Amino acid sequence: MTSGANTIGIGNETYANYTATNVTLPALGSEVALTTSYIKTGPNIAAGSRDFYRFWLDVPAGTASGTYNNTLTFKGVATSGAC
């Protein structure tokens, strides 16, 4: 994530996914680090079903105030397909 010349590294971003959502789901504690590669998350989701994502950002102490931007890309593939 960047704000001008300032950056918060990808190692500070995590996510979790689940087929239901509420105040506690997807749950902290089941989070996975973001990567720059496509990975399968929520495999075997039935057609017409939903998969919910929640994201967390750990901001390091001393990070400059500002508006930070980030872009995520999702790619849908068939259950048997490769990323």
Side-chain angles (χ1 to χ4, degrees):
M1 299 182 74
T2 61
S3 176
N6 299 309
T7 300
I8 299 175
I10 193 169
N12 294 81
E13 299 178 70
T14 57
Y15 73 94
N17 66 299
Y18 196 69
T19 55
T21 187
N22 60 34
V23 173
T24 60
L25 295 173
L28 184 61
S30 61
E31 75 272 15
V32 177
L34 285 180
T35 78
T36 57
S37 302
Y38 284 115
I39 59 170
K40 282 193 175 182
T41 63
N44 302 321
I45 302 299
S49 295
R50 295 179 179 157
D51 195 20
F52 298 91
Y53 288 79
R54 184 168 287 164
F55 298 88
W56 293 271
L57 175 64
D58 294 321
V59 180
T63 299
S65 296
T67 301
Y68 288 77
N69 298 301
N70 187 20
T71 301
L72 298 172
T73 303
F74 293 87
K75 178 180 175 183
V77 296
T79 300
S80 61
C83 291

